[in-house]
Amino acid sequence: MKTILFAILLGITSTSFAQEKESELAPIKNSKLTFGWIYSPEVSYRMLSEGHQANSSTEDVINMRNENERAKFGQTFSLFLGYRFSKVFTLEAGLGYTDFGLGREPIDYYIGMNSDEYYATVTQSDHLHVLNVPISLNVKLGGNQIQGFISAGVAPGYMSRYTSYRITDYEDGSLTKSTTYSALAQDDFNDFILGVHLSGGIDYRYSDAASLRIAPVVRYTTNNALSPGEIKANYFNVGIEFGAIYRL
């Protein structure tokens, strides 16, 4: 009987030891590949300067535009794949869309050329719809469940469309909204837009395979968004990215 009990205990011990050795020899490794998405509500505006064909009145035109133009709501959305080189560095690249542009100060309209009878107020915003390929290098800043990071990159893109959104607020309280696409206005812009971006925030890991991301971000067009002419325009967006990353 003692011999049988000893044999059973020896078998259990040997099985447990073999299982432990097997788990040590074949550890579960995290994939270096990730898939993610981000959405960023943003504030859009531009910086104006004198272009190659500037003349004596260019500065006055820029000052007039600065007085009559303002920031507007913009946004960015992108899908990306990531590759983790090490615990510190990750490269992310994908496809994205950014809405650059500007708003215009409200304009009051009156009936007749010399009448002071109020008619309506028109508010307008101009949008540059850019399709791009964002490429970013992320640097992790320690942590396990909550990881800080700094990200910088470029986003070569194509300006697919220029549109103007107009809201007319009439005296009787009614509103009308209209969207205008102008091929002539789009001819005033470069098709190629080279953007850069800088962000820094946190990735919160809520499971072994998924993380949530939040990060303030700045985007800037490095080349002149306008066709060569009197004025040079560089557009920028400032916002907060919200997103998710999944290990593949």
Side-chain angles (χ1 to χ4, degrees):
M1 185 68 178
K2 291 181 179 180
T3 303
I4 295 173
L5 290 174
F6 178 75
I8 293 173
L9 289 173
L10 181 62
I12 294 174
T13 304
S14 300
T15 302
S16 300
F17 179 76
Q19 289 177 345
E20 288 177 2
K21 292 297 290 182
E22 182 179 355
S23 62
E24 289 177 3
L25 293 175
I28 298 175
K29 295 182 179 180
N30 290 328
S31 171
K32 292 182 178 294
L33 293 177
T34 57
F35 168 77
W37 61 266
I38 64 102
Y39 172 74
S40 176
E42 298 168 346
V43 175
S44 301
Y45 200 44
R46 82 296 178 275
M47 297 176 63
L48 301 179
S49 58
E50 295 186 354
H52 295 301
Q53 301 176 16
N55 53 53
S56 58
S57 64
T58 301
E59 185 177 354
D60 293 334
V61 174
I62 292 175
N63 291 335
M64 181 182 66
R65 287 191 56 177
N66 287 336
E67 291 177 0
N68 293 286
E69 296 174 352
R70 56 186 175 85
K72 72 162 188 66
F73 172 77
Q75 55 189 331
T76 291
F77 176 77
S78 67
L79 301 172
F80 60 86
L81 290 174
Y83 181 80
R84 181 167 53 87
F85 290 101
S86 68
K87 292 182 178 180
V88 177
F89 297 104
T90 300
L91 183 67
E92 295 177 350
L95 297 175
Y97 159 79
T98 298
D99 174 10
F100 291 105
L102 55 90
R104 300 181 184 274
E105 293 292 343
I107 299 176
D108 294 332
Y109 286 88
Y110 298 86
I111 298 176
M113 294 295 295
N114 300 314
S115 174
D116 59 357
E117 184 178 350
Y118 174 74
Y119 174 62
T121 298
V122 174
T123 304
Q124 180 177 321
S125 59
D126 300 339
H127 299 252
L128 280 65
H129 306 280
V130 178
L131 303 178
N132 51 40
V133 181
I135 304 170
S136 306
L137 180 64
N138 291 5
V139 180
K140 300 295 183 181
L141 302 176
N144 186 15
Q145 186 175 18
I146 299 178
Q147 277 193 330
F149 72 91
I150 296 175
S151 177
V154 298
Y158 169 72
M159 203 196 83
S160 62
R161 175 164 290 199
Y162 168 88
T163 54
S164 291
Y165 298 114
R166 175 175 292 191
I167 299 176
T168 304
D169 184 0
Y170 293 95
E171 181 185 13
D172 60 6
S174 60
L175 290 174
T176 61
K177 299 180 181 181
S178 62
T179 302
T180 303
Y181 164 69
S182 173
L184 180 61
Q186 185 162 335
D187 289 340
D188 294 334
F189 294 88
N190 280 323
D191 290 334
F192 176 72
I193 301 294
L194 180 59
V196 295
H197 49 267
L198 178 66
S199 65
I202 60 171
D203 285 340
Y204 171 73
R205 192 178 70 178
Y206 63 90
S207 73
D208 289 338
S211 301
L212 297 177
R213 173 172 293 180
I214 181 170
V217 62
V218 177
R219 309 181 199 281
Y220 183 76
T221 62
T222 60
N223 64 321
N224 184 10
L226 299 176
S227 297
E230 181 182 350
I231 295 176
K232 178 182 178 181
N234 298 91
Y235 287 80
F236 64 88
N237 283 13
V238 179
I240 299 180
E241 292 181 339
F242 300 92
I245 303 97
Y246 308 93
R247 290 186 180 87
L248 298 179

